[in-house]
C-alpha cells in the first residue's frame, strides 16, 4: 500500500483545503508537489505538507514523482492543465468548472476520447453528499415511481462583492444543473429563467430567480436561486414521482426549545452543509485512482454538459427567453446518451 | 339573540354539508329553507334539519322568512341566484366559483356596487385555515421581510373521472390563485403553465403542471398542480421574504416509529386537511351578517379576479404561452387596488 | 330540535368560557340559568347570554327549566352540586376535580350507582384532543404492538402565585393521571415522585419532578412535571409498544427560517394547545345528553380514581416513597375493571 | 510527518474495524503490529494491512516499533494490557470497558497516577458524535440555562442471543452513563432501575427498563433501555434546562411521502448512527498522541467511574432498590471533582 503521490496546482482557498485534506485526513495519499502562479503562496502552502514547489503547473504535471494531479487554479487555466495531464496519461481531478466555455470543455472531451480511457474527474461534490445519495437511492429503488418534477432551492446567506450576474448561474445554479443530470440520468434540453422583483439585498444581482430546466426525459426541474438570504445556507430539493415524493431532510442535529419556539440550526455556509462531501469525494477519487481505477465520478462529458447548460441559462437570464441546449454527440466512452436514472 | 334564518339553494355534497354544519355545529343560525332542482333531494335534505322546501331558488331568495342565502347549486346557476339576493338586499354566501365567466362575475360586481354595500361572500375557505392565517400573520409581522416568491404544491390523491383538463385550473389551482391575491394583497398580472411529461396516472389530464403567477407587486408564485398523486392530499407553501422564509408546517398530530421509519400521516383528502376551515368560514360569516355585518371574507371582486386569472391560466395551459391578465377597474367599494399585504 | 337548556354554576374563568362556548359556538344548546356565590358576578355573566340568575346552585339544579347542569364553581363545592343533580336525576358536567377527596368522590360514585345510570361527566378534556385521540387510535389499531411504557412531559410556562406544592399533582399531573387510565384502560397501582434539584424559577414548588405511575397492567408511565419552563406550554408523550412507538407530534402550523434557524412556534398556554378540545368536549356532551344519551366521557369512577391516585402522589411527593393506590371495588355500572386498551 | 505506528491487540469485529479505519481511512497513522489469542485470526487480519503478527499482546506492547497500542480484545484481558502499556510508557486506547470490575479499573487509575501523566483513553465514542457535541455546545453556551433533568432512550433493534440481563447495563446503558458524566461534568451519586412488564420480544432479558441516574449536582437523568424494539436503532435525548430544552434531532437525511405517510428512515444499527463518531474518535486520538499529546478523551478515571456506576446499576436491577455509588477519591491528575458542565 504505497500512497498515491498527488500534485496540486493552485493554492487558493479550495486548493489549500484539499492540501490539508490529503495531508491530514485521508489515508493512502500524500501531496508531493505544489504549484501556483504566486511562487510565495506556493512555497508557503507546500511547506505545510512537506511538498516540493514546482515552477509552474505544466512542470508539475510532467514531474515523474507525480502520479495524479489536482487542478485548483483559476478557471481560465483549467483547460491547459487538464489537457497536459491527459497528454501525460495522468489522472486529473479538476475543480469546477472543467473549463470556461463549452468549446474548451469539448476540446478536453475530445482529447480524453483520443486517449481512449477516462482520466478526468470534475469537482461536482453534491454527488458525494449523503443526503443527495439517499435521495438518489430512494428514487432508483422505485419507491416513489418514475420522476416527473423536482423542486429545488439553492440559497446563500450572501456572496462575495465580486459576484457578477452570470455567477448566479455559473457558480451557484451549476450545482443543481449537474445534480439534475446525475440524479435523473438525462440531459437538459432547454432552460428558462423567471425573475420576480429583486430583493433589497440583491445589489446589482438578479436575486432571487427561478431557473426552470427541461430535461430530455420530459421532466421539469425548477430551482430558486437566492444569493443573499442572510438567514443561512439552505439547500432544498423534492422529487415528485408518479407514486410519491422524496425530499432532502431538514437540517437538525439538535432542536432547541426556548423563547416560544422549537428551533433547529440552519447551516451557516457550504462548508457546514457539504464539508463531509468533499472528504468523501476525494476519498473515492483516491481509491478509484489507486485501485486501478475505474473513475465513477463526474467526468469530462459532465463538465462539458454543465458548461453548455450554464451557457444557455446565462443567455436565458439575459433575454428572458426559453433557450434550448444543443450538445455535441456523446462519445461512446461516456456510456449511453440517456442512461436510466441509476 | 335570535338565530340567523338561512336558506340553502342546492343540496349536493357541499350543500348538505353546510346544512349539517348550520343545524348541528354552529350556534346562532338555523336553516329555515331549502331549494334544489331535484325536488326529492330538496325534501330529503330539508327533513334532516326541519326546514321548509321551496319550489325554486328564486322563490327561496324572495321568502320573507329567509334572512340570508347560501348558494351551493351548480356553478352555472350562481349568477342568477346571487343577483336575485342582491336585488332582495340579502346577504349571500356563494360557493366558488362566483360565476362561470369573468363577465358574469363582473355583472355581479356591478350589481353589488349599484346596491352600494357588500352583500356577497365567495367560498374561498383557505383564508380561514389556521395554518394559512399563521403564514399571513407572520408575513404581515415583517418577521421574514417583504415577500419575493412563494413556492406552492397542491396535490390531490385523485380526482373524479369527470375532471376535464381545465378543471385542474378552475377547481384546483383556483384555490392558490385566491390565496396568493389575499396573502400578498396584489392582483395577478400574468400567468404561465409549464408542463413536464404526464404521470402514468394522469389519464387525459395535464398532470402534473407548474403554474407560475406574476403578481402586480413583482412577486412570482409557482404552484405545482398534481391531481393523481395517490399518496394523499398534500398542500404546501413557502414564502421567500427578503429576510427569511415562512412555510406551512408538515402534517403531524402524531408520529409513529415502526418498520425502520418514523412517519406522520398525510391527510387523505381536503376534508381531513381543511374540514375545520369550513366551520370557521361559516362561523365568521354568520357572525358578520348577524353582527350588523361588515363582511370581511372574499367578496365579489375576489370572485371576479379569480375568474379572470383562471380564464387566463386555462388559455396559458392550452397555448403554452404567457398570458397577461387584464382586470376591469376596481370599484371603490372594494378598497384600494393594491392593498398592503395585510 | 329543541335546544338543551343548561344551567351553569360558577362564573369564574372557566365558567364564563363555557357560557360563551354554549351561547356563541355550539348549536343545540342554550344557557338558561346561572348561579354564583358572588351575585354581582352571576348577574353580569347571565346578562351576556340572556340567562336567568339563581339565588344559589342548589336552586338552579332544582329549577324546572334546567335540563342539565354545568358545575364550574370552586372544587370544595362540587360534591354538593353533583349530588344534588344526581338527586334531581339531571345530567351534570363537573369541571375537574369531581370532588376534593377520594371519599367525597366515592360518595358521588355511590349516589350514581344508587341512581342506576350514568349522569355525571368530569371535565378531563385531553380525551377530546385530536392528537391524543390519534395516539389512542394508533395504539388500539395494534400498529405499535402492546404498550410497555409511556414517556410524558407536562410543562407550563408558569403558574399562578397561589400554586401550592400539591397543586403540581392535583392540578397539573392529574391530566396525565386521567390520560394514562384512559389511554391504556388500566388502573394505576402505585406512584412515585423523583425530584432533581429545583429550578431557580421554582420558588417554593417542587419543580421539576418526575412522576412515575405503575399501572395494574404492568406498564410504567413517567411524567416530567415542570411548571415554570418559561419558553411555552409543552405537552409531550411517546408510547413504547412491543413493535414500535407512537408519539404526539411536534407543534407546527408553520415553520419560519430566519436568523440562522428554522423554527416552529410552541403554544403559549393551555388555551393555545387545548382550546379546540374544550369545544369538542362540550359538543359531545351536549350530543350525548340530547341524543338520549349514553355518556361516553370520563365519569364518576374516573373522577374518583384520579382523586385516589393524586392523593397517593401527593403522599409520594411528601415522603419520597413509592405509594400504592388502593381503590374501592369498581361498581358494575362502570364496566369491567381492566378494560382492554380501547 | 511520520505516521504514528500503532499495534492492535484483538482482531474481533471492533478490532478489525479499527484496523481498516487506520489503514484505509485515517491519515498519519499506520498499523504495524497485530496480536490475538487466535493466531490464525491475527495472521489473517495482519495481512489485510501489512502488519507484523505478535505472539501475544504483552509482546506487542513491548515491541520497539510500536508507538501506541489499541486494546480491542475480550474485556477480561484489558487490565493486563493497559497496565503493560502504562509500564512501557506508551499511549493506549482501550475499547470499553476499561476493565471488568471497579477495582481493576482503580488499579489502572493508580498505575497511571504513579506514571504521572495521562496515557489511557477509553472508547466511549458518543463524546465524538456530532449531535451529542452540538447538544453539549448548546448546553455550555447557556442558551437553555442550567440543566435540571435529561430524558434519554437507548433502543436496539435486537441484541445477540448471548446477551445476559446485566449486559443491558454494562454494554448498553453504560453509554448513557458515560455520556451523562461528560455532558454535565458531574459524578453519578445513585442509581435506580424501574421495570414495567417485559416485552414479548424480551426473552429472559429485563426489557424494557427505566434507569434513573441521580447526579452529584442534583440532576436526574432517566434512560429507557430497550434492546429488542425491532423497528431500528433509536437514540434519543432531551436536556431540560432552567430556560429551555435542547434535544437530539430526529433522524432524517431524507423524507419520503408515499402510501399516506411522510416518513424518514430510522438508523438500522449503531454503525448507521455512530459510524462517523468512530472515525472522529480515532482521528482525534491519533492527533493528540502525535501532537505531543494532551489526551482530551475519556480516560482511566472515566472508565473507573462508569464501571462503578454500572456495578451499582446491576445491583439496582437485581434488587429493585436505589443504590448509592461510592467512588474512590479522585486523583488530582484528572482535574477537579465536579467540573462545571463544559
Ligand atoms: Mg494522506
Ligand atoms: Mg345552528
Ligand atoms: Mg348554543
Ligand atoms: Mg492510516
Amino acid at each position: 500500500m504505497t500512497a498515491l503521490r498527488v500534485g496540486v496546482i493552485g493554492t487558493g482557498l479550495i486548493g489549500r483545503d484539499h492540501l490539508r485534506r490529503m495531508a491530514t485526513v485521508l489515508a493512502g495519499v500524500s501531496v508531493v508537489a505544489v504549484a501556483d502562479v504566486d511562487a510565495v503562496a506556493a512555497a508557503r502552502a507546500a511547506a505545510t505538507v512537506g511538498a516540493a514547489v514546482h515552477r509552474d503547473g505544466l512542470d508539475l504535471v510532467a514531474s515523474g514523482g507525480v502520479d495524479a494531479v489536482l487542478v485548483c487554479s483559476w478557471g481560465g487555466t483549467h483547460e491547459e492543465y487538464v489537457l497536459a495531464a491527459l497528454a501525460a496519461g495522468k489522472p486529473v481531478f479538476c475543480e469546477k468548472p472543467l473549463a470556461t466555455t463549452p468549446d474548451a470543455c469539448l476540446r478536453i472531451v475530445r482529447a480524453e476520447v483520443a486517449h481512449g480511457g477516462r482520466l478526468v474527474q470534475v469537482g461536482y461534490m453534491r454527488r458525494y453528499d449523503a443526503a443527495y445519495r439517499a435521495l438518489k437511492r430512494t428514487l432508483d429503488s422505485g419507491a416513489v415511481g418514475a420522476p416527473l418534477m423536482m423542486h429545488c432551492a439553492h440559497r446563500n446567506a450572501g456572496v462575495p462583492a465580486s459576484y457578477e450576474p452570470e455567477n448566479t448561474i455559473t457558480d451557484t445554479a451549476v450545482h443543481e444543473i449537474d445534480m439534475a443530470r446525475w440524479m435523473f440520468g438525462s440531459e437538459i434540453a432547454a432552460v428558462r429563467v423567471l425573475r420576480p422583483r429583486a430583493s433589497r439585498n440583491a445589489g446589482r444581482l438578479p436575486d432571487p430567480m427561478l431557473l426552470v430546466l427541461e430535461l430530455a426525459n420530459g421532466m421539469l426541474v425548477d430551482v430558486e436561486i437566492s444569493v443573499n438570504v442572510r438567514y443561512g445556507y439552505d439547500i432544498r430539493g423534492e422529487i415528485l414521482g408518479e407514486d410519491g415524493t422524496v425530499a432532502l431532510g431538514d437540517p437538525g442535529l439538535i432542536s432547541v426549545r426556548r423563547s416560544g419556539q422549537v428551533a433547529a440550526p440552519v447551516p451557516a455556509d457550504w462548508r457546514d452543509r457539504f464539508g463531509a462531501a468533499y472528504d468523501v469525494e476525494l476519498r473515492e477519487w483516491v481509491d478509484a485512482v489507486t485501485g486501478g481505477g475505474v473513475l465513477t465520478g463526474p467526468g469530462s462529458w459532465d463538465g462539458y454538459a454543465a458548461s453548455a447548460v450554464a451557457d444557455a441559462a446565462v443567455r436565458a437570464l439575459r433575454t428572458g427567453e426559453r433557450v434550448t441546449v444543443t450538445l455535441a454527440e456523446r462519445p461512446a466512452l461516456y456510456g449511453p446518451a440517456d442512461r436510466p436514472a441509476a
Side-chain angles (χ1 to χ4, degrees), chain A residues 8 15 20 29 40 46 70 102 108 124 157 186 202 225 235 263 265 283 299 324 342:
Chain A
V8 175
R20 174 198 61 76
V29 57
V40 175
L70 237 75
I108 292 170
Y124 288 115
S186 177
I225 303 292
I235 299 298
R283 167 83 276 147
T324 57

Side-chain angles (χ1 to χ4, degrees), chain A residues 52-108:
Chain A
V53 179
H54 283 254
R55 189 177 58 197
D56 63 32
L58 295 178
D59 184 68
L60 179 149
V61 170
S63 161
V66 168
D67 300 327
V69 178
L70 237 75
V71 178
C72 306
S73 51
W74 170 66
T77 67
H78 288 187
E79 181 186 5
E80 182 179 21
Y81 297 133
V82 172
L83 288 174
L86 280 168
K90 295 186 178 178
V92 56
F93 180 104
C94 179
E95 271 306 325
K96 74 176 179 75
L98 176 59
T100 49
T101 65
D103 280 353
C105 292
L106 214 43
R107 286 190 288 270
I108 292 170

Side-chain angles (χ1 to χ4, degrees), chain A residues 1-9 19 22 26-34 50-52 54 60-70 90-93 282 285-287 289-290:
Chain A
M1 285 181 303
T2 10
L4 181 73
R5 297 170 305 171
V6 169
V8 175
I9 305 173
L19 282 178
M22 289 188 289
L26 303 178
V29 57
S30 68
V31 183
V32 296
V34 166
H54 283 254
L60 179 149
V61 170
S63 161
V66 168
D67 300 327
V69 178
L70 237 75
K90 295 186 178 178
V92 56
F93 180 104
L282 265 268
W285 178 71
V286 168
D287 288 349
V289 169
T290 310

Side-chain angles (χ1 to χ4, degrees), chain A residues 13-267:
Chain A
L13 218 69
I14 182 73
R16 291 200 307 273
D17 193 50
H18 281 316
L19 282 178
R20 174 198 61 76
R21 179 170 291 110
M22 289 188 289
T24 70
V25 176
L26 303 178
V29 57
S30 68
V31 183
V32 296
V34 166
D36 195 293
V37 284
D38 177 346
V40 175
R44 199 182 304 127
T48 66
V49 299
V53 179
H54 283 254
R55 189 177 58 197
D56 63 32
L58 295 178
D59 184 68
L60 179 149
V61 170
S63 161
V66 168
D67 300 327
V69 178
L70 237 75
V71 178
C72 306
S73 51
W74 170 66
T77 67
H78 288 187
E79 181 186 5
E80 182 179 21
Y81 297 133
V82 172
L83 288 174
L86 280 168
K90 295 186 178 178
V92 56
F93 180 104
C94 179
E95 271 306 325
K96 74 176 179 75
L98 176 59
T100 49
T101 65
D103 280 353
C105 292
L106 214 43
R107 286 190 288 270
I108 292 170
V109 165
R110 284 172 187 149
E112 194 176 36
V113 168
H115 170 78
R118 286 196 50 192
L119 286 176
V120 181
Q121 180 162 330
V122 187
Y124 288 115
M125 94 297 172
R126 291 228 183 144
R127 302 187 183 201
Y128 300 91
D129 174 62
Y132 275 108
R133 286 183 159 190
L135 215 59
K136 184 157 176 49
R137 216 159 38 231
T138 303
L139 178 66
D140 292 350
S141 77
V144 299
L148 300 166
M149 303 182 78
M150 182 173 184
H151 308 297
C152 306
H154 184 145
R155 297 178 184 149
N156 284 278
V159 285
S162 61
Y163 238 60
E164 293 293 331
E166 57 269 27
N167 291 117
T168 58
I169 302 291
T170 55
D171 282 53
T172 301
V174 75
H175 284 289
E176 270 80 14
I177 289 171
D178 178 68
M179 182 275 296
R181 295 181 60 260
W182 165 73
M183 184 69 71
F184 304 112
S186 177
E187 295 295 356
I188 293 164
V191 297
R192 221 190 278 257
V193 175
L194 304 178
R195 293 182 54 186
R197 72 180 188 75
S199 166
R200 69 171 155 77
N201 302 319
R204 66 214 165 86
L205 299 177
D207 177 14
M209 62 196 200
L210 191 73
L211 173 67
V212 183
L213 309 173
E214 301 176 24
L215 271 59
N217 69 5
M219 287 186 65
L220 275 186
V221 176
D222 55 89
V223 189
E224 177 209 313
I225 303 292
S226 289
V227 295
N228 288 292
V229 292
R230 303 292 165 86
Y231 74 83
Y233 180 72
D234 201 4
I235 299 298
R236 314 271 286 279
E238 181 183 33
I239 298 169
L240 172 73
E242 291 183 332
D243 300 321
T245 83
V246 56
L248 296 173
D250 257 357
L253 286 177
I254 57 167
S255 74
V256 176
R257 289 164 192 259
R258 62 190 296 260
S259 308
Q261 296 187 325
V262 49
V266 169

